[in-house]
Amino acid sequence: MPTTHTDIAVMKAKRLFILFAILIGIGLAAFFFGLLGQNPQRAWQAYLINFLIWSGIAQGALLFSTVMHTTKARWSGALSSAAESFSAFFPISFILFLLLFLGKEHVFPWLHHDLHGKEVWLNLPFLFARDILGLLILYGFGFAYLYYALCAKIGTLESRGKIRTRLSKHWVRIDPRRCQSRQSIFSILYMLAFALVLSLVGFDLVMSMDPHWHSTLFGAYTFVKAFYIGLGGLIILAWLLYLKAENRFGLRLSDFHDIGKLFFAFCLMWADFFYVQLVVIWYGNIPELTGYIIERTLMPPWKMLAWTVFIVCFILPFLLLLNKKIKTKPWAMIPLCSIVIVGIWLEHLLLLGPALGHDTVVLPLSLTDGLISLGFLGLLLASVAFFLKLFPELGRIGKREGVE
């Protein structure tokens, strides 16, 4: 039986990681069940959507920290420390992208088709080469920012484990002012890479599924959406940390009010891009472009899904977040942010579903899709928990910055 606070904490951590392992196992089993079924394309469709969603949350959450650092914001210190934990998902995200190659026959419907001159851009070796390079640059800048951010905040580490021991040896040789300077440089580089690489990923993994349709706004729409759900994921994590009895990060209700306002702003911006992209094509009335919109907004079974996405991702959060008090209530914000993330998941289904499953008469959504999503959720939670366990000092730093 555990007798000290340390023993109890270790036992709680073990239980959490067992729970995450169960979620991952459920997702893996559901994915293989789907692959061995009659329609393996549905399993790969769920895989692609989940890769985009959970990677977007991790990338968007770290963007929050880089933006706050670049703008010298003083209110968000505790939230920035929490946001940096999402970067632990980056290596997993990269491996998940590489595994996507195994499902190429199911994921890229334009393979073996006549692309009318677009073969130069839409061919698998070039697509994977540029996206791998893009993700390496994005995650490389993200880790470089994280390295100098931790160096500036923590400075020295108690040697415990290989990662901490190695970092500690490097950090003692670096001038703290150099850490801050490098942190600023890599925060800007990460923001630039975020916009460029997510635009590329949006073009290659979403827009290209219907290779004869294009939108010049799609890249911006993709990275705005990633920041939107990244803020949602960060708000959920921050509330979970706040609700723990010790509140190690020193998060305050005013922090939640401020990030709630930012979440509200990006709810409006997502809707703005959604509307602008749609209305320009609609009024242009070019047949090869309007067909894409008509199929997803006026034709069954996608029509109802389109309205559901619009209500869940814009109408609902817009109306609720007009109220100031809602932003400081965990019973409201945790479900709301979760619903928005589910809404963006459905929005990806709306964009990809018609391209990956032509002549569908029933919405391609089943329990298997939900179980596969649980597996990805388990991967993200396990990586965030691992990071917070590896650097418990961040709680003390966050608490101090929160008080300041």
Side-chain angles (χ1 to χ4, degrees):
M1 292 288 291
T3 54
T4 65
H5 289 298
T6 305
D7 293 337
I8 293 172
V10 169
M11 178 173 280
K12 285 182 178 177
K14 282 184 178 176
R15 286 177 180 170
L16 270 180
F17 279 102
I18 290 172
L19 174 64
F20 301 152
I22 292 172
L23 290 177
I24 296 167
I26 290 173
L28 202 58
F31 179 65
F32 281 113
F33 177 77
L35 283 186
L36 298 174
Q38 293 182 341
N39 194 355
Q41 188 169 8
R42 287 278 301 279
W44 280 109
Q45 175 183 284
Y47 182 98
L48 173 59
I49 293 174
N50 281 291
F51 164 75
L52 293 167
I53 290 291
W54 302 108
S55 298
I57 290 175
Q59 294 154 353
L62 186 65
L63 183 74
F64 172 83
S65 177
T66 60
V67 170
M68 292 300 109
H69 175 77
T70 305
T71 57
K72 311 293 182 192
R74 296 180 60 84
W75 60 272
S76 56
L79 286 169
S80 291
S81 295
E84 287 153 13
S85 63
F86 283 91
S87 57
F89 188 70
F90 286 176
I92 297 172
S93 167
F94 186 71
I95 292 170
L96 291 172
F97 176 76
L98 295 180
L99 293 177
L100 201 60
F101 186 79
L102 299 176
K104 58 184 183 299
E105 296 291 339
H106 303 290
V107 170
F108 300 104
W110 42 261
L111 273 180
H112 317 304
H113 285 205
D114 184 2
L115 297 175
H116 303 289
K118 294 183 179 177
E119 292 85 356
V120 176
W121 181 259
L122 289 182
N123 64 80
L124 278 185
F126 186 35
L127 184 147
F128 271 88
R130 63 180 180 255
D131 284 1
I132 286 172
L133 180 63
L135 288 175
L136 281 175
I137 291 172
L138 177 67
Y139 293 159
F141 285 154
F143 274 125
Y145 167 79
L146 185 68
Y147 176 84
Y148 289 109
L150 291 174
C151 174
K153 289 179 182 177
I154 300 174
T156 56
L157 283 172
E158 178 188 344
S159 296
R160 194 175 66 232
K162 289 182 180 178
I163 297 176
R164 288 175 61 93
T165 302
R166 189 165 294 178
L167 286 175
S168 184
K169 285 180 181 175
H170 289 149
W171 286 349
V172 294
R173 296 197 295 265
I174 302 178
D175 185 342
R177 287 174 297 182
R178 187 182 171 198
C179 278
Q180 293 177 350
S181 170
R182 295 286 176 89
Q183 184 186 356
S184 299
I185 293 170
F186 283 110
S187 67
I188 294 169
L189 290 175
Y190 180 81
M191 287 189 289
L192 291 173
F194 181 87
L196 295 174
V197 174
L198 287 198
S199 295
L200 181 66
V201 168
F203 290 147
D204 285 347
L205 299 186
V206 183
M207 195 174 82
S208 75
M209 298 305 168
D210 199 329
H212 303 300
W213 181 82
H214 64 271
S215 166
T216 52
L217 284 171
F218 204 84
Y221 178 65
T222 302
F223 65 73
V224 164
K225 185 167 52 179
F227 194 36
Y228 185 27
I229 57 176
L231 289 172
L234 175 58
I235 291 172
I236 294 172
L237 174 66
W239 271 120
L240 295 177
L241 293 171
Y242 178 84
L243 293 174
K244 288 183 72 173
E246 58 267 31
N247 186 18
R248 286 190 299 124
F249 277 74
L251 291 156
R252 302 163 301 179
L253 289 179
S254 60
D255 296 335
F256 291 100
H257 181 229
D258 290 333
I259 194 172
K261 288 188 286 187
L262 199 56
F263 189 61
F264 178 68
F266 273 84
C267 162
L268 293 174
M269 186 170 283
W270 174 83
D272 182 52
F273 274 86
F274 188 88
Y275 171 75
V276 168
Q277 189 168 225
L278 187 147
V279 79
V280 168
I281 294 171
W282 188 268
Y283 278 100
N285 198 22
I286 303 171
E288 59 265 34
L289 299 184
T290 50
Y292 184 93
I293 303 295
I294 289 170
E295 184 177 16
R296 286 161 177 77
T297 57
L298 298 178
M299 305 294 287
W302 308 105
K303 181 180 176 181
M304 287 303 297
L305 183 62
W307 279 108
T308 303
V309 168
F310 188 65
I311 291 169
V312 164
C313 295
F314 173 61
I315 301 292
L316 183 68
F318 175 78
L319 293 177
L320 290 178
L321 292 171
L322 284 174
N323 187 309
K324 176 183 176 182
K325 290 184 180 177
I326 289 289
K327 301 181 187 71
T328 58
K329 304 294 182 186
W331 55 262
M333 289 304 290
I334 291 177
L336 178 63
C337 293
S338 303
I339 289 171
V340 168
I341 290 171
V342 172
I344 295 296
W345 195 102
L346 293 174
E347 185 253 13
H348 278 85
L349 178 64
L350 179 66
L351 295 174
L352 293 168
L356 297 179
H358 285 295
D359 304 323
T360 301
V361 293
V362 179
L363 206 60
L365 198 60
S366 66
L367 178 63
T368 306
D369 297 279
L371 295 178
I372 293 173
S373 299
L374 283 182
F376 278 80
L377 171 65
L379 285 171
L380 179 69
L381 292 177
S383 56
V384 169
F386 171 76
F387 184 90
L388 293 176
K389 187 172 181 290
L390 185 63
F391 298 107
E393 295 90 346
L394 278 178
R396 172 173 50 80
I397 302 296
K399 194 167 189 172
R400 190 181 67 208
E401 292 180 338
V403 171
E404 289 174 354

